Amino acid sequence: MAYRLPAARTLAAGPEGLVVLVDREGIALYGGASREWRKSHGLYFPRLVALDEAGGRAVVGAHHEVALVSLADGRVTARWEAPEGFGVTDLAAAPDFSSFAVGVRSLAAIEAVVWLDAGLGEIAREEHTVTQPSGASPEVAVFAGPPSRAAAWGQGWYAELSQ
């Protein structure tokens, strides 16, 4: 299937030809070559997006927050804000969106992984002091269970969080 899509900051492909585009102003859903909808999201500098395995929801990572978005109408249904002074570096989701891992870092030389539940409530967090913070780490992954678990890799550290 060929697509002619407008420029975007990030995008994710889903089942049955769905494509979600995210830019600074909004989020749009395309089914095939036609746009289904476009909505403002109110997120500051979004740069990460993933779709659930059913194609019904998206999770968007922005500079200092994460948001769940309904693909039925583009409505933001939940938000999680990074701790004060931290920025989001990476985002990973379980295929069914039952949990999420978020990598965050601060300019005060702290990197952390935060594990969130399906509603973006915090399950666990692990922090590490590093020699020099980087905008690119830590990186995160979510492994499907049972039991599900999250993992993170930072500057000289590795963490695994599980229920």
Side-chain angles (χ1 to χ4, degrees):
M1 179 179 300
Y3 288 89
R4 280 189 80 92
L5 301 171
R9 175 71 180 117
T10 188
L11 64 90
E16 300 182 31
L18 291 179
V19 176
V20 171
L21 299 179
V22 182
D23 59 31
R24 284 187 167 189
E25 291 78 40
I27 183 169
L29 176 69
Y30 285 80
S34 64
R35 186 171 78 188
E36 303 294 323
W37 50 257
R38 179 175 171 79
K39 302 281 177 138
S40 295
H41 50 56
L43 301 169
Y44 177 70
F45 202 69
R47 58 183 174 259
L48 305 161
V49 64
L51 302 183
D52 69 357
E53 62 192 354
R57 295 174 293 167
V59 61
V60 179
H63 177 67
H64 60 272
E65 64 188 320
V66 172
L68 283 174
V69 178
S70 165
L71 294 185
D73 57 10
R75 185 175 47 89
V76 173
T77 60
R79 287 180 192 256
W80 173 84
E81 294 215 13
E84 180 85 26
F86 280 80
V88 174
T89 60
D90 199 13
L91 171 66
D96 64 356
F97 274 32
S98 59
S99 62
F100 305 90
V102 183
V104 295
R105 58 99 178 107
S106 77
L107 295 178
I110 299 171
E111 295 181 346
V113 56
V114 181
W115 193 18
L116 305 173
D117 64 20
L120 300 185
E122 192 169 314
I123 298 170
R125 179 190 318 186
E126 187 170 321
E127 295 184 357
H128 296 268
T129 301
V130 296
T131 344
Q132 191 171 11
S134 160
S137 66
E139 294 181 60
V140 294
V142 172
F143 304 99
S148 61
R149 61 194 197 284
W153 300 263
Q155 292 183 44
W157 62 272
Y158 168 81
E160 186 172 317
L161 304 175
S162 61
Q163 286 180 308

